[in-house]
Amino acid sequence: MSSLMTRVSVPRGGLSFSWLVRRLLLGVFVLLLVSVLLFLVTQALPGDVARIILGKDATAEQVADLRQQLGLDRSLVVQYWHWLTGVLTGEMGSSLQNGEPVVDIIGPRMLDSFALGLISLVLILPIAVVVGVFSAHQRDSAWDKAFVAVSSLFTALPAFVVGMLLIALFATSVLGVLPGVSNIPPGDMPWWHPAELVLPVTTLTLMGVMYLGRLVRASFIDAMNSEYVQMATLKGLSGRRILFRHALPNAVAASLPAASLVAAVTITGVVVVEYVYSYPGLGTAVVSAVNSHDLPVLQACILVLATAYYVFNLLADILSAMGRSR
Amino acid sequence: MNGNLSVLGRAMRTGQARLGLVLLSVVGFVVLFGHFLMPYAPDTIVGQPLADPDGSFLLGTDILGRDVLSRLLDGGLTLSWMAVLAAGLGVFLGCLVGLTAAYRGGAVDAVLMRAMDVLLSFPEIIFVLLFVSMLGRSTLLTSVLVGIAFMPGVSRVLRGAALPVVASEYVLWARANGLPPRQVLLREVLPGVTSPLMVETGMRLVWAVAAIASLSYLGFGIAPPAADWGLMVGENQDGLSVAPLPVLAPITLILMMALGGNLVAESVARTVGRTEGKR
């Protein structure tokens, strides 16, 4: 997982509405650049897209036909404009694999992926706060040391290793209580199959809690050492009152930017985790689209994932700027 | 420079770092010398698929009937050089961009950092998959792409660390005396940011191992039938309920590598943090 990076844009004279508007406009601009880059890489890279799709054995005539069908013979600007307006109006062409409209493929998978990501996030946030605060409260106890050690291990582990260990533990002969393959039939809502969701959600939640919980722990220790908490102690306020009224809100506020980074990482973490459990979401769609050179599906999936990732990163940016201006 | 070496030395003397070094040496031994110790060729079928461990196959056989121990001993080298190349390239490029942005300032800074913003909005794995789908898969390409994906993160950290150094009097003096920018950057600015550079390098190495292992698990690393720890996990996943060893053995080594690297990197980061705090 990536670290909490120091952001560039710090508002000079406090946080103003116009700063927020400018930040959001810049965000839209960056997203446009992302779409340009995505388009350029997939349409204009050396090597003929039509040739890649058809394979080495295709005749020149077949290649020319497909180029025309894909609009590859028009200028790049025209192609980009056509593609972008298509994406914005939900006309993203059809899959090269089976001719289905891309929207029909992406739609249900988006729902599956975001359900997986959101359920994990709903679990990650409160658990991370409770674990982090408890650990900071019991600082240097055996529990605290164990938590720091385990979380340090998890930040270094690839998600597929965690997923595979969970499968080995819960889905094979050892316990064998949960399905190791999360097959959700097309047309079903993911939450109709809670047992299939348990392991993928647990993997994402474990990774997120270990990362965020540690940051909450650090910012809670900072908050307890701060002057206002020491002042409150000197004034003779009760320990519980200091904990819940003074230290906790500040520690949580300080961890908010990190929480939205965790959200960004969780949304994209679904790619590998979905593959581990063969969960039918955007991640498995990306991997199979790469393997079959299904460009329209690949473009759409990547655009959705990159946008979600960027939006949460932007949120982290804005939250940390707000935190600094307070 | 001497000061930094002593920081590194002090970091290595912590118990945490020692445990990390021990783990890394064990994995390093397997990676470097494993190739000479293999009982069988790693990519030939030598027995029944998914056989239990016995005298001739110490760790059993994989889903195609290849010797798991041989594949394990042979499969770490690719992962290792790919991770080192990716992290090295990412830190080098990020350093170049970050220091240039901090040094030149103004429009150059703005353009470079906005470009990094665009790159940063692609999650690493997605970024790599995007290019692999167009350029075809190769181990070199995958590690270069992971390196490029690391560049924006490194450049942000180093730009932040270099800004105060660039504004310091000795750098201003060097610039006023007409020293060429390359020399100012190399001789005056770079030594001022070695601590964040060490921390970044350590963390990026650990993340590169995770990223490269994940990519070869997904099938975008080395091509089968060659052996690779990530690939072995992917290949043998379907046989997990019958024979856990072909999956768990490579996972153990990846785990040791990641944990060992992380223990060392974290203790370097902590020692650097403590030393910088005193200054």
Side-chain angles (χ1 to χ4, degrees), chain A residues 209-228:
Chain A
V209 165
M210 291 304 166
Y211 177 70
L212 186 59
R214 201 158 163 206
L215 291 177
V216 172
R217 172 184 177 275
S219 58
F220 189 74
I221 289 175
D222 280 351
M224 286 304 275
N225 288 337
S226 65
E227 282 176 12
Y228 61 84

Side-chain angles (χ1 to χ4, degrees), chain A residues 56-115:
Chain A
K56 283 186 193 115
D57 305 326
T59 63
E61 205 174 310
Q62 286 173 315
V63 172
D65 275 358
L66 187 64
R67 284 181 64 85
Q68 205 191 356
Q69 191 193 329
L70 295 173
L72 291 173
D73 44 359
R74 286 176 287 176
S75 83
L76 270 183
V77 181
V78 175
Q79 285 184 45
Y80 174 70
W81 182 246
H82 184 74
W83 178 71
L84 186 70
T85 46
V87 167
L88 293 179
T89 52
E91 286 290 319
M92 291 181 272
S94 47
S95 161
L96 299 173
Q97 207 60 21
N98 52 16
E100 247 184 281
V102 173
V103 186
D104 293 353
I105 300 178
I106 298 290
R109 281 173 177 269
M110 248 168 92
L111 184 77
D112 287 356
S113 283
F114 285 143

